[in-house]
Amino acid sequence: MDTQAYSKISNAALIQELYRRYRCQEEALRKRIVLLGMPGAGKGTHSAKMLARFCMCHLSTGDLLREEVRSGSEFGKKLKGIMERGELIEDEVMCNLIKQQLAKPACANGAILDGFPRTIPQAEKLDQILKQSGQSIDQAIFMNVREQVVVDRLGGRWTHLNSGRTYHYKFNPPKVHGVDDITGEPLVQREDDKEATIRNRLNVYQNKTSPIIDYYRKKGILFEVNAERPVNDIWKDIKSIVKTK
Protein backbone atom coordinates (compact mmCIF):
# COMPACT_ATOMS: atom_id res chain seq x y z
CA MET A 1 0.00 0.00 0.00
CA ASP A 2 1.37 3.40 -0.99
CA THR A 3 0.63 5.35 2.21
CA GLN A 4 2.33 8.46 0.88
CA ALA A 5 -0.10 8.60 -2.05
CA TYR A 6 -3.12 8.12 0.22
CA SER A 7 -1.92 10.89 2.53
CA LYS A 8 -2.52 13.37 -0.29
CA ILE A 9 -6.21 12.42 -0.52
CA SER A 10 -8.74 14.02 1.81
CA ASN A 11 -10.74 11.94 4.27
CA ALA A 12 -13.95 13.06 2.55
CA ALA A 13 -12.68 11.78 -0.80
CA LEU A 14 -11.67 8.43 0.71
CA ILE A 15 -15.07 8.00 2.37
CA GLN A 16 -16.80 8.88 -0.89
CA GLU A 17 -14.76 6.24 -2.71
CA LEU A 18 -15.57 3.60 -0.07
CA TYR A 19 -19.26 4.39 -0.42
CA ARG A 20 -19.00 4.15 -4.20
CA ARG A 21 -17.44 0.70 -3.97
CA TYR A 22 -20.06 -0.46 -1.47
CA ARG A 23 -22.85 0.74 -3.76
CA CYS A 24 -21.17 -1.05 -6.65
CA GLN A 25 -21.50 -4.38 -4.88
CA GLU A 26 -25.15 -3.70 -4.01
CA GLU A 27 -26.15 -2.58 -7.51
CA ALA A 28 -23.93 -4.72 -9.74
CA LEU A 29 -25.66 -4.99 -13.14
CA ARG A 30 -23.32 -7.60 -14.65
CA LYS A 31 -23.97 -6.32 -18.15
CA ARG A 32 -21.68 -6.28 -21.14
CA ILE A 33 -22.22 -3.04 -23.03
CA VAL A 34 -20.70 -1.89 -26.31
CA LEU A 35 -20.32 1.85 -26.91
CA LEU A 36 -20.56 2.78 -30.59
CA GLY A 37 -19.91 6.02 -32.44
CA MET A 38 -17.35 7.97 -34.42
CA PRO A 39 -14.01 8.82 -32.82
CA GLY A 40 -14.72 11.86 -30.66
CA ALA A 41 -18.41 11.06 -30.13
CA GLY A 42 -17.83 10.99 -26.38
CA LYS A 43 -17.38 7.27 -25.74
CA GLY A 44 -14.35 7.80 -23.50
CA THR A 45 -16.03 10.50 -21.43
CA HIS A 46 -19.18 8.51 -20.79
CA SER A 47 -17.52 5.13 -20.33
CA ALA A 48 -15.57 6.72 -17.46
CA LYS A 49 -18.86 7.90 -15.96
CA MET A 50 -20.35 4.43 -16.37
CA LEU A 51 -17.32 2.90 -14.68
CA ALA A 52 -17.65 5.20 -11.68
CA ARG A 53 -21.44 4.77 -11.38
CA PHE A 54 -21.94 1.09 -12.18
CA CYS A 55 -18.51 -0.39 -11.34
CA MET A 56 -18.07 -2.33 -14.55
CA CYS A 57 -14.62 -2.72 -15.97
CA HIS A 58 -13.74 -0.31 -18.77
CA LEU A 59 -12.13 -1.97 -21.78
CA SER A 60 -10.81 0.80 -24.01
CA THR A 61 -8.86 -0.72 -26.85
CA GLY A 62 -7.31 2.69 -27.51
CA ASP A 63 -5.88 2.78 -23.98
CA LEU A 64 -4.73 -0.84 -24.17
CA LEU A 65 -2.96 -0.21 -27.46
CA ARG A 66 -1.34 3.05 -26.31
CA GLU A 67 -0.06 1.28 -23.20
CA GLU A 68 1.62 -1.26 -25.46
CA VAL A 69 3.11 1.55 -27.57
CA ARG A 70 4.53 3.27 -24.46
CA SER A 71 6.17 -0.02 -23.42
CA GLY A 72 8.60 0.37 -26.33
CA SER A 73 8.23 -3.26 -27.41
CA GLU A 74 8.64 -4.30 -31.05
CA PHE A 75 4.93 -4.97 -31.18
CA GLY A 76 4.34 -1.52 -29.70
CA LYS A 77 6.49 0.11 -32.37
CA LYS A 78 4.48 -1.63 -35.09
CA LEU A 79 1.23 -0.51 -33.48
CA LYS A 80 2.47 3.08 -33.24
CA GLY A 81 2.85 3.38 -37.00
CA ILE A 82 -0.58 1.89 -37.65
CA MET A 83 -2.27 4.18 -35.09
CA GLU A 84 -0.54 7.33 -36.36
CA ARG A 85 -1.85 6.57 -39.86
CA GLY A 86 -5.36 6.13 -38.41
CA GLU A 87 -5.63 2.55 -39.68
CA LEU A 88 -7.45 -0.32 -37.94
CA ILE A 89 -5.56 -2.99 -36.00
CA GLU A 90 -5.89 -6.60 -37.20
CA ASP A 91 -8.94 -8.41 -35.86
CA GLU A 92 -6.96 -11.24 -34.28
CA VAL A 93 -4.87 -8.79 -32.24
CA MET A 94 -7.89 -6.92 -30.94
CA CYS A 95 -9.90 -10.05 -30.14
CA ASN A 96 -7.05 -11.53 -28.11
CA LEU A 97 -6.61 -8.29 -26.16
CA ILE A 98 -10.28 -8.17 -25.23
CA LYS A 99 -10.48 -11.88 -24.42
CA GLN A 100 -7.64 -11.52 -21.91
CA GLN A 101 -9.30 -8.54 -20.24
CA LEU A 102 -12.76 -10.11 -19.99
CA ALA A 103 -11.30 -13.04 -18.07
CA LYS A 104 -10.01 -10.79 -15.27
CA PRO A 105 -11.88 -10.56 -11.93
CA ALA A 106 -12.32 -6.81 -12.44
CA CYS A 107 -14.82 -7.58 -15.21
CA ALA A 108 -16.98 -9.92 -13.10
CA ASN A 109 -19.61 -7.18 -12.54
CA GLY A 110 -19.85 -6.39 -16.23
CA ALA A 111 -17.83 -4.68 -18.91
CA ILE A 112 -17.94 -1.49 -20.97
CA LEU A 113 -16.38 -2.07 -24.37
CA ASP A 114 -15.15 1.25 -25.75
CA GLY A 115 -13.67 1.08 -29.25
CA PHE A 116 -14.32 -2.62 -29.79
CA PRO A 117 -15.70 -4.20 -31.90
CA ARG A 118 -15.00 -2.00 -34.89
CA THR A 119 -15.83 -4.40 -37.72
CA ILE A 120 -18.49 -7.05 -38.35
CA PRO A 121 -15.91 -9.89 -38.09
CA GLN A 122 -14.81 -8.51 -34.70
CA ALA A 123 -18.43 -8.32 -33.53
CA GLU A 124 -19.01 -11.91 -34.58
CA LYS A 125 -15.79 -13.04 -32.92
CA LEU A 126 -16.74 -11.22 -29.72
CA ASP A 127 -20.10 -13.02 -29.67
CA GLN A 128 -18.24 -16.33 -29.98
CA ILE A 129 -15.87 -15.47 -27.13
CA LEU A 130 -18.73 -14.51 -24.80
CA LYS A 131 -20.82 -17.54 -25.75
CA GLN A 132 -18.02 -19.82 -24.53
CA SER A 133 -18.68 -18.58 -20.99
CA GLY A 134 -22.47 -18.35 -21.31
CA GLN A 135 -22.45 -14.58 -21.81
CA SER A 136 -23.50 -12.15 -24.51
CA ILE A 137 -23.62 -8.46 -25.33
CA ASP A 138 -26.61 -7.04 -23.43
CA GLN A 139 -26.74 -3.55 -24.93
CA ALA A 140 -25.10 -1.51 -27.68
CA ILE A 141 -25.29 2.25 -27.17
CA PHE A 142 -24.82 4.29 -30.34
CA MET A 143 -23.61 7.83 -29.66
CA ASN A 144 -24.75 9.60 -32.81
CA VAL A 145 -22.88 12.75 -33.91
CA ARG A 146 -22.17 14.52 -37.21
CA GLU A 147 -18.71 14.28 -38.78
CA GLN A 148 -17.87 18.01 -38.63
CA VAL A 149 -18.77 18.10 -34.95
CA VAL A 150 -16.22 15.32 -34.39
CA VAL A 151 -13.49 17.25 -36.20
CA ASP A 152 -14.17 20.34 -34.09
CA ARG A 153 -14.16 18.31 -30.88
CA LEU A 154 -11.00 16.33 -31.45
CA GLY A 155 -8.99 19.32 -32.59
CA GLY A 156 -9.12 20.63 -29.02
CA ARG A 157 -8.85 17.34 -27.17
CA TRP A 158 -6.04 16.72 -24.69
CA THR A 159 -5.42 13.60 -22.62
CA HIS A 160 -4.00 12.51 -19.29
CA LEU A 161 -1.99 9.50 -20.39
CA ASN A 162 -1.89 7.49 -17.16
CA SER A 163 -5.66 7.48 -16.57
CA GLY A 164 -7.05 8.08 -20.06
CA ARG A 165 -9.08 11.08 -18.85
CA THR A 166 -9.79 13.50 -21.67
CA TYR A 167 -10.40 17.25 -21.71
CA HIS A 168 -11.35 19.80 -24.33
CA TYR A 169 -10.28 23.41 -24.02
CA LYS A 170 -13.65 24.60 -25.32
CA PHE A 171 -16.22 22.03 -24.19
CA ASN A 172 -14.69 20.36 -21.11
CA PRO A 173 -11.60 22.32 -19.97
CA PRO A 174 -9.34 21.29 -17.07
CA LYS A 175 -9.49 23.43 -13.95
CA VAL A 176 -5.89 24.51 -14.55
CA HIS A 177 -4.60 24.96 -18.10
CA GLY A 178 -2.44 22.06 -19.24
CA VAL A 179 -2.79 19.77 -16.21
CA ASP A 180 -5.05 16.90 -15.11
CA ASP A 181 -7.72 17.82 -12.53
CA ILE A 182 -7.06 14.78 -10.32
CA THR A 183 -3.29 14.31 -10.36
CA GLY A 184 -1.92 17.68 -11.49
CA GLU A 185 0.13 15.87 -14.13
CA PRO A 186 0.60 17.36 -17.62
CA LEU A 187 -1.87 16.78 -20.45
CA VAL A 188 -0.79 15.94 -24.00
CA GLN A 189 -2.38 16.03 -27.44
CA ARG A 190 -2.12 12.61 -29.04
CA GLU A 191 -0.84 12.27 -32.58
CA ASP A 192 -4.07 10.54 -33.59
CA ASP A 193 -6.09 13.59 -32.46
CA LYS A 194 -4.55 15.85 -35.12
CA GLU A 195 -6.83 16.86 -38.01
CA ALA A 196 -5.18 14.91 -40.86
CA THR A 197 -5.33 11.71 -38.83
CA ILE A 198 -8.87 12.49 -37.68
CA ARG A 199 -10.10 12.79 -41.27
CA ASN A 200 -8.54 9.45 -42.15
CA ARG A 201 -10.01 7.78 -39.05
CA LEU A 202 -13.47 9.03 -40.00
CA ASN A 203 -13.10 7.61 -43.51
CA VAL A 204 -12.12 4.25 -42.04
CA TYR A 205 -15.07 4.43 -39.63
CA GLN A 206 -17.60 5.08 -42.38
CA ASN A 207 -16.27 2.22 -44.52
CA LYS A 208 -15.64 -0.47 -41.92
CA THR A 209 -17.14 0.39 -38.54
CA SER A 210 -20.55 1.98 -39.16
CA PRO A 211 -22.11 -1.34 -40.39
CA ILE A 212 -21.89 -2.58 -36.78
CA ILE A 213 -24.80 -0.27 -35.94
CA ASP A 214 -27.11 -2.37 -38.14
CA TYR A 215 -25.54 -5.56 -36.76
CA TYR A 216 -26.72 -4.74 -33.22
CA ARG A 217 -29.97 -3.15 -34.41
CA LYS A 218 -30.95 -6.48 -35.99
CA LYS A 219 -30.24 -8.18 -32.66
CA GLY A 220 -32.69 -5.80 -30.99
CA ILE A 221 -30.17 -4.42 -28.46
CA LEU A 222 -29.24 -1.09 -30.06
CA PHE A 223 -30.00 2.17 -28.20
CA GLU A 224 -29.32 5.51 -29.93
CA VAL A 225 -28.30 8.69 -28.09
CA ASN A 226 -27.97 12.18 -29.57
CA ALA A 227 -24.35 12.89 -28.61
CA GLU A 228 -24.26 16.51 -29.78
CA ARG A 229 -25.98 17.78 -26.62
CA PRO A 230 -24.41 18.90 -23.32
CA VAL A 231 -22.56 16.18 -21.42
CA ASN A 232 -25.07 16.08 -18.54
CA ASP A 233 -28.02 15.53 -20.90
CA ILE A 234 -26.23 12.71 -22.69
CA TRP A 235 -25.27 11.10 -19.39
CA LYS A 236 -28.87 11.20 -18.17
CA ASP A 237 -30.00 9.20 -21.22
CA ILE A 238 -27.17 6.70 -20.91
CA LYS A 239 -27.92 6.05 -17.22
CA SER A 240 -31.54 5.36 -18.11
CA ILE A 241 -30.52 2.94 -20.86
CA VAL A 242 -28.05 1.04 -18.69
CA LYS A 243 -30.67 0.59 -15.94
CA THR A 244 -33.12 -0.89 -18.45
CA LYS A 245 -33.76 -4.54 -17.69
Side-chain angles (χ1 to χ4, degrees):
M1 179 182 296
D2 188 346
T3 55
Q4 185 175 5
Y6 281 119
S7 67
K8 299 178 181 179
I9 304 175
S10 70
N11 289 338
L14 286 172
I15 291 172
Q16 184 178 22
E17 174 62 15
L18 285 171
Y19 173 72
R20 185 190 72 83
R21 296 193 183 195
Y22 170 77
R23 187 176 63 178
C24 284
Q25 296 303 315
E26 292 293 307
E27 301 179 1
L29 297 173
R30 295 180 174 82
K31 286 185 174 182
R32 287 146 299 277
I33 299 174
V34 173
L35 288 183
L36 302 172
M38 293 183 188
K43 299 187 297 296
T45 296
H46 290 284
S47 59
K49 288 179 176 292
M50 292 166 70
L51 170 64
R53 177 62 182 83
F54 300 110
C55 303
M56 303 170 177
C57 68
H58 175 210
L59 303 183
S60 168
T61 52
D63 290 344
L64 293 173
L65 291 169
R66 283 187 287 273
E67 182 178 341
E68 187 67 32
V69 169
R70 288 197 298 271
S71 74
S73 67
E74 288 302 314
F75 179 53
K77 293 176 182 177
K78 179 181 177 182
L79 289 175
K80 181 180 180 181
I82 295 173
M83 292 168 67
E84 287 181 349
R85 293 190 298 272
E87 298 173 358
L88 291 178
I89 310 297
E90 294 177 359
D91 290 352
E92 190 66 25
V93 173
M94 300 307 309
C95 289
N96 285 334
L97 275 174
I98 294 298
K99 182 178 180 179
Q100 292 171 9
Q101 295 298 317
L102 286 173
K104 293 183 177 181
C107 292
N109 284 344
I112 305 159
L113 279 72
D114 171 11
F116 182 91
R118 292 188 176 185
T119 65
I120 295 296
Q122 285 182 353
E124 293 172 341
K125 182 67 174 178
L126 176 61
D127 286 343
Q128 294 172 10
I129 291 173
L130 291 174
K131 187 176 180 179
Q132 292 170 2
S133 57
Q135 300 175 334
S136 64
I137 294 299
D138 297 291
Q139 294 173 322
I141 300 176
F142 172 39
M143 302 185 66
N144 196 1
V145 62
R146 289 170 294 172
E147 184 171 314
Q148 186 55 50
V149 173
V150 168
V151 174
D152 292 340
R153 285 181 178 178
L154 295 186
R157 188 166 75 172
W158 292 71
T159 303
H160 177 243
L161 292 179
N162 289 335
S163 69
R165 281 186 291 274
T166 58
Y167 300 86
H168 193 288
Y169 282 108
K170 179 178 180 181
F171 304 116
N172 182 35
K175 294 176 182 177
V176 178
H177 183 83
V179 299
D180 177 53
D181 287 350
I182 307 300
T183 65
E185 295 173 343
L187 303 175
V188 300
Q189 185 173 46
R190 303 195 315 249
E191 185 66 28
D192 56 348
D193 281 340
K194 297 186 177 178
E195 184 168 349
T197 305
I198 292 168
R199 295 287 185 185
N200 190 42
R201 290 169 67 196
L202 293 177
N203 287 335
V204 172
Y205 172 86
Q206 294 293 355
N207 293 330
K208 295 186 177 182
T209 303
S210 59
I212 293 179
I213 296 167
D214 286 334
Y215 178 84
Y216 287 117
R217 180 179 285 115
K218 290 176 182 177
K219 287 180 172 289
I221 60 173
L222 184 76
F223 296 81
E224 185 170 336
V225 174
N226 178 354
E228 295 187 10
R229 297 172 299 158
V231 170
N232 288 340
D233 292 343
I234 298 169
W235 173 230
K236 181 179 179 180
D237 284 355
I238 289 176
K239 281 194 297 183
S240 177
I241 290 168
V242 173
K243 290 180 180 180
T244 301
K245 300 294 184 181

